[in-house]
CSV table of all heavy atoms in Angstrom, one decimal:
chain,number,residue,atom,x,y,z
A,44,GLU,N,-66.0,24.3,130.1
A,44,GLU,CA,-66.4,24.6,128.8
A,44,GLU,C,-65.4,25.6,128.1
A,44,GLU,O,-64.9,25.4,127.0
A,44,GLU,CB,-67.8,25.2,128.7
A,44,GLU,CG,-68.9,24.2,129.0
A,44,GLU,CD,-70.3,24.9,129.1
A,44,GLU,OE1,-70.3,26.1,129.1
A,44,GLU,OE2,-71.3,24.1,129.2
A,45,VAL,N,-65.0,26.7,128.9
A,45,VAL,CA,-64.1,27.7,128.3
A,45,VAL,C,-62.7,27.1,128.2
A,45,VAL,O,-62.0,27.4,127.2
A,45,VAL,CB,-64.1,28.9,129.2
A,45,VAL,CG1,-63.1,29.9,128.8
A,45,VAL,CG2,-65.5,29.6,129.2
A,46,ALA,N,-62.3,26.3,129.2
A,46,ALA,CA,-60.9,25.8,129.1
A,46,ALA,C,-60.8,24.6,128.2
A,46,ALA,O,-59.7,24.1,127.9
A,46,ALA,CB,-60.5,25.4,130.6
A,47,ASP,N,-61.9,24.0,127.8
A,47,ASP,CA,-62.0,22.8,126.9
A,47,ASP,C,-61.3,21.6,127.6
A,47,ASP,O,-60.4,21.0,127.1
A,47,ASP,CB,-61.3,23.1,125.6
A,47,ASP,CG,-61.6,22.0,124.6
A,47,ASP,OD1,-62.6,21.3,124.7
A,47,ASP,OD2,-60.8,21.8,123.7
A,48,VAL,N,-61.7,21.4,128.9
A,48,VAL,CA,-61.2,20.2,129.6
A,48,VAL,C,-62.4,19.5,130.2
A,48,VAL,O,-63.5,20.0,130.3
A,48,VAL,CB,-60.2,20.6,130.8
A,48,VAL,CG1,-59.0,21.4,130.3
A,48,VAL,CG2,-61.0,21.5,131.8
A,49,SER,N,-62.2,18.3,130.5
A,49,SER,CA,-63.3,17.5,131.1
A,49,SER,C,-63.5,17.9,132.6
A,49,SER,O,-62.6,18.4,133.2
A,49,SER,CB,-63.0,16.0,131.0
A,49,SER,OG,-61.9,15.7,131.9
A,50,VAL,N,-64.7,17.6,133.1
A,50,VAL,CA,-65.0,17.8,134.5
A,50,VAL,C,-64.1,17.0,135.3
A,50,VAL,O,-63.6,17.4,136.4
A,50,VAL,CB,-66.5,17.4,134.8
A,50,VAL,CG1,-66.8,17.5,136.3
A,50,VAL,CG2,-67.4,18.4,134.0
A,51,GLY,N,-63.8,15.7,134.9
A,51,GLY,CA,-62.8,14.9,135.6
A,51,GLY,C,-61.5,15.5,135.7
A,51,GLY,O,-60.8,15.4,136.7
A,52,THR,N,-61.0,16.1,134.6
A,52,THR,CA,-59.7,16.8,134.6
A,52,THR,C,-59.7,18.0,135.6
A,52,THR,O,-58.8,18.2,136.4
A,52,THR,CB,-59.4,17.4,133.2
A,52,THR,OG1,-59.2,16.3,132.3
A,52,THR,CG2,-58.1,18.2,133.2
A,53,PHE,N,-60.8,18.7,135.7
A,53,PHE,CA,-60.9,19.8,136.6
A,53,PHE,C,-60.7,19.3,138.1
A,53,PHE,O,-59.9,19.8,138.8
A,53,PHE,CB,-62.3,20.5,136.5
A,53,PHE,CG,-62.5,21.6,137.6
A,53,PHE,CD1,-62.2,22.9,137.3
A,53,PHE,CD2,-63.0,21.2,138.8
A,53,PHE,CE1,-62.4,23.9,138.2
A,53,PHE,CE2,-63.2,22.2,139.8
A,53,PHE,CZ,-62.9,23.5,139.5
A,54,TYR,N,-61.5,18.2,138.4
A,54,TYR,CA,-61.4,17.6,139.7
A,54,TYR,C,-60.1,16.9,140.0
A,54,TYR,O,-59.8,16.6,141.2
A,54,TYR,CB,-62.6,16.7,140.0
A,54,TYR,CG,-63.9,17.5,140.2
A,54,TYR,CD1,-64.9,17.3,139.3
A,54,TYR,CD2,-64.1,18.3,141.2
A,54,TYR,CE1,-66.1,18.0,139.4
A,54,TYR,CE2,-65.2,19.1,141.4
A,54,TYR,CZ,-66.3,18.9,140.5
A,54,TYR,OH,-67.4,19.6,140.7
A,55,HIS,N,-59.3,16.7,139.0
A,55,HIS,CA,-57.9,16.2,139.2
A,55,HIS,C,-57.1,17.2,139.9
A,55,HIS,O,-56.1,16.9,140.6
A,55,HIS,CB,-57.3,15.7,137.9
A,55,HIS,CG,-55.9,15.2,138.0
A,55,HIS,ND1,-55.6,14.0,138.6
A,55,HIS,CD2,-54.8,15.8,137.6
A,55,HIS,CE1,-54.3,13.9,138.6
A,55,HIS,NE2,-53.8,14.9,137.9
Side-chain angles (χ1 to χ4, degrees):
E44 289 174 352
V45 174
D47 192 26
V48 300
S49 70
V50 174
T52 295
F53 177 93
Y54 286 115
H55 178 69

